[in-house]
Amino acid sequence: MSRLLYVEGTVDRTCTQSHITYSFHIPQPTDTIRILFSYTPKLLEDQEQAREIIEESMSKYGYDEPGHSPDLWKKYMPLQNLLTLSVDDPLRHRGNAHRPEMQQEHWLGSSTASPGFLAGDNPAGMWRITVSLHAVVTETLVYQIHVLGEEATYA
Amino acid sequence: MLKWIPAELHTHTLHSDGKQTLEELAQSAADLGLECIAMTDHNTQSALVDQERVQQQYGVPIISGMEWTTFYGHMLTLGVDRFIDWRVLGPDDIHEGIRQVHERGGIAGLAHPFRIGSPICTGCFWEYSIQDWHEVDYIEVWSTLMPSIKRDSQRAFAMWTDLLNQGYRITAVSGRDWHVSKPDDALPAVTYLGVHSEAEEQESLAIRAVEAIRLGSVSVTMGPLLTMSAQINDSDKRYGIGECVELAGEDSLSVTVQLDVETRAAHYNLEPQNLRLLLTSGQGVCSETYIPAQSGEYTLSLQNPTGKGWVRAELYGYMEDCVTMIAFTNPMYIT
């Protein structure tokens, strides 16, 4: 097993609705690409900040009609960070893990792949991993991406 | 011969954030009497590796699709089986995305355009700028379970009506946004697609289903199937939903509305009652009548049809403890 990429990043709310792409070289065809992806925290715990953000969103999207309960904002709790990860090999798009878990493990193998991704050859060349920051609601957020290459073992 | 296929056009599996496999989804669809589903996972089509096997096993054709789950809106694409990169498009670039969908033979529709947006439901509210609504193929005007009572569905339905009044021909569909099935689920709506069963049988039903949406041959319901056709004067020619009726100034138009309570009858409960049947147009309500909750056919004469722009049928009544809109057809267009 070889380590192909390890990154750690810190973002704040200004990064919401942006993409961060890592381009990196895989020197030789690889049987399985394994990706460990995690970020923390998941939830905005500060009630007062959450109320402000939710009420602003309700106002922006027309959900704050006069006469509604002052506690209506609680219906949209808790506010969550949402980061998704997508992969492009040198030749084609390999898929996307659009799911809410803050710790994820994905793999791309020649005959099977984890949900969201396409199995197939993992060619040498420049690969890209993109983190799509759909929502950063906490003041800061830390993420890690760990990419490992595994060759097939033959008995 | 037109056949009405009950379909669900907005689904998810565990290839994105759904809680079901494609097999479980197809099984649930078959259990609900659906005859077609669209696979529209968030930003991935990897569930489609099992498409052929699952549609054969469960007898439910599967439309290749994807939900572009972006920062500025969720757009459903149907009939496309190749990845189009949504990540490179900014809030003013959606027409480039739609162009690429059309180039690959697909259609594009707005998903739940009025659901609350970021950061509560990221990208759920439609915020892309649309320069030309002619390029939008459809709008999901009813979303989630018991959609007609939901305020964001009512806002989407009103937006659709406003666009029809402006002269755009956009198809309206329902979408369950189906992530999981539970025993106590509220009532889902169904989108019936009018497909030609004789023409080009060699084409798969999934392809003809996409074509039906493109042509506006669509009726949406939480219960019985509501369809309509029209005749000019005493002519034998019948116009169907989605078609364009060309009228001269002195022509009269008779519209025949068909209510079918037998198809999928086991999957909803319609108590005996008088249902309110409307024909609406660009000029508002143009016919109102009360009909029994049983299969039947009702012919209504449309006064001064020229200039009405479009006409659709709407059905209201008591269902699941609510008095609400139960069904609506897509329009016939009048020129």
Side-chain angles (χ1 to χ4, degrees):
Chain A
M1 188 183 298
S2 57
R3 176 184 274 201
L4 298 170
L5 179 77
Y6 177 80
V7 294
E8 184 174 307
T10 303
V11 295
D12 68 10
R13 286 178 185 142
T14 65
C15 298
T16 202
Q17 300 190 325
S18 69
H19 306 282
I20 299 171
T21 300
Y22 295 94
S23 297
F24 58 101
H25 188 241
I26 293 187
Q28 58 193 28
T30 304
D31 189 68
T32 301
I33 302 288
R34 195 168 293 277
I35 302 165
L36 309 176
F37 173 51
S38 62
Y39 62 90
T40 189
K42 183 67 186 172
L43 305 180
L44 174 59
E45 305 282 359
D46 186 310
Q47 295 274 310
E48 191 51 33
Q49 285 187 21
R51 186 184 62 77
E52 276 178 32
I53 293 170
I54 290 170
E55 288 188 343
E56 188 182 333
S57 186
M58 289 171 63
S59 171
K60 180 177 178 184
Y61 298 113
Y63 278 69
D64 62 346
E65 288 197 328
H68 73 64
S69 155
D71 285 341
L72 188 59
W73 66 276
K74 291 180 181 167
K75 173 182 169 187
Y76 300 109
M77 286 285 282
L79 276 183
Q80 305 192 35
N81 291 324
L82 176 64
L83 274 60
T84 67
L85 185 141
S86 50
V87 178
D88 298 82
D89 74 20
L91 302 172
R92 59 176 182 148
H93 182 69
R94 295 295 291 272
N96 194 317
H98 193 98
R99 46 176 58 92
E101 290 80 17
M102 55 196 285
Q103 290 200 19
Q104 303 177 14
E105 180 175 352
H106 311 292
W107 74 89
L108 295 90
S110 53
S111 57
T112 64
S114 53
F117 295 97
L118 298 172
D121 290 342
N122 293 322
M126 291 303 290
W127 283 61
R128 282 180 294 145
I129 286 185
T130 299
V131 182
S132 298
L133 295 92
H134 291 267
V136 180
V137 293
T138 51
E139 285 178 28
T140 58
L141 174 155
V142 179
Y143 65 88
Q144 295 175 322
I145 305 169
H146 201 165
V147 184
L148 301 164
E150 289 174 19
E151 292 306 323
T153 52
Y154 300 100
Chain B
M1 180 69 188
L2 205 60
K3 188 178 177 210
W4 291 96
I5 307 291
E8 172 52 56
L9 300 173
H10 187 163
T11 70
H12 297 286
T13 71
L14 44 74
H15 284 258
S16 61
D17 61 353
K19 305 293 180 210
Q20 54 197 348
T21 62
L22 191 63
E23 285 91 338
E24 289 165 340
L25 175 64
Q27 178 68 66
S28 299
D31 292 345
L32 287 173
L34 298 173
E35 295 175 32
C36 180
I37 55 174
M39 170 72 272
T40 57
D41 261 323
H42 299 285
N43 297 335
T44 183
Q45 296 194 299
S46 61
L48 291 172
V49 295
D50 297 322
Q51 181 179 22
E52 287 294 325
R53 181 177 56 79
V54 172
Q55 56 188 13
Q56 280 185 11
Q57 187 176 346
Y58 296 94
V60 178
I62 300 169
I63 301 170
S64 306
M66 193 168 96
E67 184 175 16
W68 287 32
T69 305
T70 80
F71 303 151
Y72 319 107
H74 291 192
M75 185 168 83
L76 296 161
T77 64
L78 301 179
V80 183
D81 56 9
R82 282 176 49 198
F83 179 72
I84 300 169
D85 200 344
W86 61 274
R87 297 166 299 185
V88 296
L89 300 174
D92 298 320
D93 304 329
I94 197 61
H95 283 285
E96 173 57 23
I98 296 171
R99 188 189 63 75
Q100 292 187 39
V101 170
H102 289 165
E103 216 171 67
R104 286 163 175 76
I107 59 173
L110 276 55
H112 48 64
F114 289 97
R115 186 174 301 172
I116 196 164
S118 299
I120 294 166
C121 181
T122 59
C124 284
F125 193 97
W126 186 268
E127 296 180 82
Y128 282 107
S129 56
I130 292 182
Q131 286 98 46
D132 185 358
W133 282 95
H134 288 295
E135 294 185 11
V136 174
D137 298 292
Y138 71 100
I139 301 173
E140 183 183 273
V141 300
W142 276 8
S143 181
T144 69
L145 299 167
M146 273 303 281
S148 71
I149 64 168
K150 305 280 172 62
R151 191 165 157 270
D152 48 1
S153 288
Q154 291 164 357
R155 289 171 80 183
F157 194 90
M159 177 178 78
W160 175 53
T161 301
D162 186 49
L163 288 165
L164 295 177
N165 287 340
Q166 292 176 48
Y168 297 103
R169 295 179 183 174
I170 300 179
T171 303
V173 307
S174 64
R176 177 169 174 169
D177 207 347
W178 198 353
H179 286 75
V180 65
S181 297
K182 296 177 187 159
D184 58 348
D185 278 336
L187 190 65
V190 170
T191 303
Y192 277 91
L193 307 174
V195 300
H196 287 278
S197 53
E198 290 166 3
E200 305 190 53
E201 279 292 350
Q202 73 277 19
E203 281 187 0
S204 79
L205 190 120
I207 290 170
R208 283 179 284 147
V210 172
E211 190 60 16
I213 301 168
R214 196 195 316 268
L215 296 172
S217 182
V218 172
S219 186
V220 178
T221 184
M222 298 196 303
L225 170 61
L226 187 71
T227 53
M228 67 172 177
S229 58
Q231 288 169 278
I232 302 173
N233 303 327
D234 297 323
S235 159
D236 285 341
K237 178 168 171 52
R238 288 212 166 206
Y239 294 87
I241 294 170
E243 290 186 322
C244 184
V245 186
E246 287 183 36
L247 291 172
E250 67 280 7
D251 283 338
S252 67
L253 191 71
S254 62
V255 179
T256 302
V257 179
Q258 297 92 12
L259 183 68
D260 170 0
V261 301
E262 273 107 53
T263 303
R264 291 190 72 254
H267 302 288
Y268 61 88
N269 182 29
L270 188 67
E271 292 177 21
Q273 61 186 296
N274 282 326
L275 298 164
R276 182 169 166 242
L277 174 65
L278 298 183
L279 285 183
T280 56
S281 78
Q283 296 171 358
V285 175
C286 42
S287 177
E288 177 175 11
T289 186
Y290 284 83
I291 62 173
Q294 61 194 44
S295 293
E297 197 169 275
Y298 307 90
T299 299
L300 306 158
S301 177
L302 202 62
Q303 301 300 315
N304 306 316
T306 52
K308 289 204 179 330
W310 53 269
V311 60
R312 73 175 172 232
E314 300 171 11
L315 187 72
Y316 296 81
Y318 177 75
M319 206 168 197
E320 301 288 312
D321 298 328
C322 304
V323 175
T324 185
M325 183 187 274
I326 293 173
F328 63 92
T329 68
N330 269 257
M332 284 182 286
Y333 298 96
I334 300 170
T335 57

